[in-house]
Amino acid sequence: MQGQQQQQAYDRGITIFSPDGRLYQVEYAREAVKRGTASIGVRTAGGIVLLVDKRIRSPLLEASSVEKLHKVDDHIGVASAGHVADARQLIDFARRDAQINQLRYDEPIGVETLTKDVTDHIQQYTQVGGARPFGVALIIGGIENGTPRLYETDPSGTPYEWQALAIGADRNEIDDYLETHYDEEMDLEAGIELALAALESVSDEGGLDPEGLSLATIPLETKRFRTHDADEIRVYLEQFDLLAEPEPEPDDGEGDAEESDEDRSDDES
């Protein structure tokens, strides 16, 4: 009981380390990321691929209102997992940082520089009283000096560079798939296929619905962030045989009505 009370005391303060050197609030922020839907980033020889699972839970919800994929600059895009509201704050910070760099130095900001600026901002919220860590992780991808770069930000404020990664729900399973099938020499279309197949590998529906996905690419040739609409995603899913089968139409009940009429006539006779 005493040990549990001590842990609860360390839970209350983000600026206090536990005796074993842990910041519980940062670990809880990572748990918030795990509860978010999956986002995937793939670095290919032809550019960057960003894919997110929006998981539309109601047919009444406008799919475009679920924002997990963002353009930060012409050559940089971000995918998020975790609290969407926290992600919006970090995206706004990243956009301002990119604009300031353009005005101050008259050149686009580097992907590594932007990532470290964002993680420095995140880290400040792990050592300031009266605040909480950001409950979100970001995949930051872009083209820097003619080279695709792909980074992850952690709620602790630590940046990591990856060739391919997933954040959010089912991360371990998706990462295992990426590790098995990733090829450094793959082109952009192969990277799209890998990202879609990795997400489909953890799907319970036996396929993917284009309306529940957001896809963006940053080709090395154009160096410009580009989103793909649902029709384009559907074409990719059909091409790679990953499209979910349409749900059967509900029975209108006419057969039951006819049967009940026949039963009624039998009773009357």
Side-chain angles (χ1 to χ4, degrees):
M1 178 66 72
Q2 185 177 359
Q4 184 177 2
Q5 290 176 347
Q6 286 181 344
Q7 179 177 342
Q8 290 176 351
Y10 293 115
D11 284 356
R12 298 191 186 102
I14 186 60
T15 60
I16 303 175
F17 283 99
S18 70
D20 53 352
R22 298 164 64 183
L23 290 174
Y24 287 109
Q25 290 293 327
V26 172
E27 295 183 18
Y28 297 157
R30 292 195 182 107
E31 291 300 319
V33 173
K34 292 179 182 179
R35 292 176 179 271
T37 55
S39 296
I40 299 173
V42 179
R43 187 181 77 189
T44 73
I48 296 293
V49 178
L50 298 174
L51 175 69
V52 301
D53 178 12
K54 297 189 292 187
R55 195 173 296 174
I56 307 302
R57 302 184 182 276
S58 170
L60 302 178
L61 180 66
E62 283 288 349
S64 60
S65 67
V66 182
E67 297 180 316
K68 292 192 58 184
L69 202 55
H70 309 265
K71 175 182 176 181
V72 172
D73 205 343
D74 288 339
H75 64 300
I76 298 177
V78 173
S80 68
H83 287 297
V84 176
D86 286 11
R88 270 207 323 270
Q89 294 297 314
L90 294 178
I91 296 300
D92 289 344
F93 174 87
R95 287 170 174 167
R96 288 194 300 270
D97 193 47
Q99 293 170 2
I100 290 171
N101 190 91
Q102 181 68 47
L103 291 171
R104 182 175 294 167
Y105 302 110
D106 195 27
E107 64 181 12
I109 193 169
V111 183
E112 181 178 5
T113 300
L114 177 70
T115 301
K116 290 185 176 180
D117 288 348
V118 171
T119 51
D120 287 346
H121 181 66
I122 293 172
Q123 193 275 336
Q124 292 178 13
Y125 284 79
T126 68
Q127 62 180 38
V128 176
R132 65 164 175 80
F134 289 94
V136 66
L138 305 177
I139 299 176
I140 302 178
I143 308 298
E144 181 175 356
N145 298 325
T147 303
R149 307 291 295 272
L150 190 69
Y151 287 88
E152 173 198 5
T153 73
D154 182 76
S156 67
T158 306
Y160 304 95
E161 186 170 11
W162 294 81
Q163 294 175 314
L165 79 152
I167 56 177
D170 302 311
R171 171 171 185 163
N172 292 335
E173 292 81 359
I174 297 175
D175 279 347
D176 288 344
Y177 187 95
L178 294 173
E179 290 173 2
T180 303
H181 298 87
Y182 180 78
D183 181 2
E184 292 185 18
E185 303 301 323
M186 66 173 55
D187 59 17
L188 195 62
E189 184 167 306
I192 295 173
E193 180 180 7
L194 175 63
L196 291 170
L199 186 59
E200 194 274 337
S201 69
V202 297
S203 173
D204 297 330
E205 302 176 359
L208 298 175
D209 179 8
E211 299 295 335
L213 304 175
S214 288
L215 173 67
T217 56
I218 310 174
L220 187 60
E221 295 179 356
T222 63
K223 302 180 180 63
R224 297 186 71 86
F225 178 88
R226 176 178 180 268
T227 57
H228 300 253
D229 59 29
D231 292 336
E232 291 178 288
I233 298 175
R234 181 180 295 276
V235 171
Y236 282 125
L237 292 175
E238 291 175 346
Q239 177 181 344
F240 305 138
D241 195 24
L242 299 172
L243 184 65
E245 296 183 1
E247 296 182 359
E249 296 182 2
D251 190 358
D252 55 10
E254 292 181 359
D256 295 339
E258 293 175 357
E259 183 177 355
S260 60
D261 291 337
E262 292 176 0
D263 294 341
R264 191 180 303 112
S265 61
D266 292 338
D267 294 338
E268 293 171 354
S269 62

